[in-house]
Amino acid sequence: MLYNHNRDKVIGKINKAWIEDNRGMAEVEFDSDDESEVIYQKVSSGTLKGVSVGYQIDSWEEVMPNKQSADGRFTGPCDIARKWTPYEISIVSVPADPTVGVGRELEEAEQGTQSRSLDWFERQLQINHNTIKGGKQ
């Protein structure tokens, strides 16, 4: 477990991780060093609430405009990560989406958000539309 996706700020370990109702869940344990204790206290007090997952996508489903995904949950255009591998969980000060721990693809973490094209934001808007329409993601 990291703080703000910083690989040099290890603050604990993941004891167990699983999927429940299409949401990632984890049981974590904070380390006892001073830096980890500061983060733990901020989480305990509610000052830090954001969680994010770093992951690598192994396979995609590309859904063309106005077409349905294979499972019928999404309307294109969108890309759906069908198989992915998590590699870290972070406590974050500013989550990408404060309502869920949103994962970040390894490539985006390395390149930063500066390289995102307008197409990426258009796809994100479609994802948001699908989430509202379907009630879940």
Side-chain angles (χ1 to χ4, degrees):
M1 182 170 60
L2 307 177
Y3 178 60
N4 278 331
H5 297 286
N6 185 335
R7 294 175 183 153
D8 294 326
K9 294 196 183 258
V10 178
I11 58 171
K13 64 182 178 179
I14 301 156
N15 291 329
K16 179 181 171 185
W18 68 99
I19 302 291
E20 184 176 303
D21 296 326
N22 289 323
R23 294 178 66 101
M25 309 291 278
E27 177 185 296
V28 300
E29 184 177 332
F30 282 83
D31 287 340
S32 59
D33 61 276
D34 290 341
E35 188 173 3
S36 300
E37 181 65 23
V38 168
I39 303 303
Y40 172 75
Q41 290 302 324
K42 289 179 184 283
V43 170
S44 293
S45 71
T47 302
L48 281 175
K49 297 178 183 178
V51 175
S52 185
V53 177
Y55 58 91
Q56 181 170 341
I57 297 174
D58 303 313
S59 69
W60 289 94
E61 176 187 354
E62 181 179 2
V63 183
M64 300 310 289
N66 301 314
K67 301 292 182 185
Q68 290 293 118
S69 61
D71 62 6
R73 289 179 57 200
F74 304 102
T75 302
C78 61
D79 293 324
I80 301 168
R82 288 296 177 193
K83 184 177 178 188
W84 53 279
T85 305
Y87 59 85
E88 58 95 350
I89 294 175
S90 282
I91 301 298
V92 295
S93 51
V94 182
D97 181 343
T99 64
V100 295
V102 174
R104 295 187 179 122
E105 188 177 1
L106 181 58
E107 294 166 10
E108 286 181 17
E110 290 172 354
Q111 295 173 356
T113 59
Q114 306 275 335
S115 65
R116 290 184 179 157
S117 66
L118 182 57
D119 182 56
W120 185 91
F121 290 102
E122 289 170 342
R123 282 185 277 142
Q124 186 62 48
L125 286 171
Q126 185 65 50
I127 290 167
N128 294 346
H129 171 76
N130 286 333
T131 300
I132 291 167
K133 180 179 155 192
K136 49 184 154 171
Q137 184 171 358

